[in-house]
Amino acid sequence: MSLLTGRAARPSTISPESESSRLAELFQRAATGDTRAFATVYALLAPRVWAMAEAVTCDHDRAEAAAVQAFEGMWYAAPSCPSEPEAATAWAMKIAVRRSLGAAGDPRRPALGPPATPDRRGQHVRQVLLALPEPQRDAVLLSCYGQLSLGALAFALELPKQDAAALLSEALIHVAGSGLVSKVP
């Protein structure tokens, strides 16, 4: 269950290690123009990318635009994807974070229109995420929505593992202090 949304995560049928290895190989094939390989990348990453985009934008249309832009970015940048399995997943989810934040716009400006579904909890999640300092926000998004391991998170944030863990811990303490998480068992 996600700490931020209260929604259950989709069960995965393969281990994170197998998925990461498969993604690295699929991105290498996509870099040569293999559209079937990229379709598989989409199938593997779409649930995470969509969840992240929805949480950040709190608007279905903006989330859709962010997800499309994220996958377009992954397609065009596939030749620069790292070949290490954890790094490939981190690389892809970092693109998704950037596109989601870009679609969300500046948190200091009012939204272009009302959200498609005026959900107070969703708005609160968005406000808490956008209020975090950028490194903490990235850590939460990549960890909770990108489902990255600590090693992959460290790679994405370009930090040693212990620093990535500390950054994520600080961010989650801030999120808990926001009232978003009422109790952690």
Side-chain angles (χ1 to χ4, degrees):
M1 172 138 344
S2 170
L3 291 175
L4 298 177
T5 65
R7 297 182 190 147
R10 260 181 56 160
S12 178
T13 56
I14 61 175
S15 73
E17 295 81 16
S18 296
E19 182 180 275
S20 292
S21 294
R22 188 161 184 219
L23 278 170
E25 183 249 321
L26 290 167
F27 273 119
Q28 288 175 351
R29 289 177 32 208
T32 66
D34 186 337
T35 56
R36 287 184 186 206
F38 194 74
T40 305
V41 166
Y42 177 86
L44 290 170
L45 294 179
R48 290 188 251 173
V49 171
W50 275 98
M52 183 185 320
E54 284 279 347
V56 172
T57 65
C58 206
D59 180 274
H60 179 75
D61 293 336
R62 287 182 182 168
E64 182 177 4
V68 167
Q69 290 173 7
F71 284 106
E72 284 176 352
M74 289 177 213
W75 170 257
Y76 289 113
S80 67
C81 179
S83 58
E84 302 84 32
E86 271 193 338
T89 304
W91 173 86
M93 294 311 300
K94 193 169 183 180
I95 290 172
V97 165
R98 292 285 158 246
R99 301 295 198 233
S100 296
L101 291 170
D106 186 338
R108 296 172 301 242
R109 288 193 318 237
L112 296 175
T117 55
D119 174 355
R120 283 185 191 207
R121 183 165 174 82
Q123 286 292 337
H124 187 59
V125 169
R126 179 179 187 272
Q127 289 171 349
V128 169
L129 287 173
L130 295 178
L132 289 171
E134 184 178 334
Q136 290 183 358
R137 181 179 55 226
D138 289 354
V140 169
L141 290 172
L142 289 166
S143 175
C144 295
Y145 291 99
Q147 300 174 358
L148 297 185
S149 68
L150 182 56
L153 180 64
F155 177 85
L157 298 175
E158 300 174 3
L159 295 171
K161 278 186 181 180
Q162 68 270 18
D163 292 350
L167 184 68
L168 180 59
S169 179
E170 290 170 14
L172 292 176
I173 288 168
H174 179 81
V175 168
S178 72
L180 190 56
V181 180
S182 57
K183 270 191 180 178
V184 177

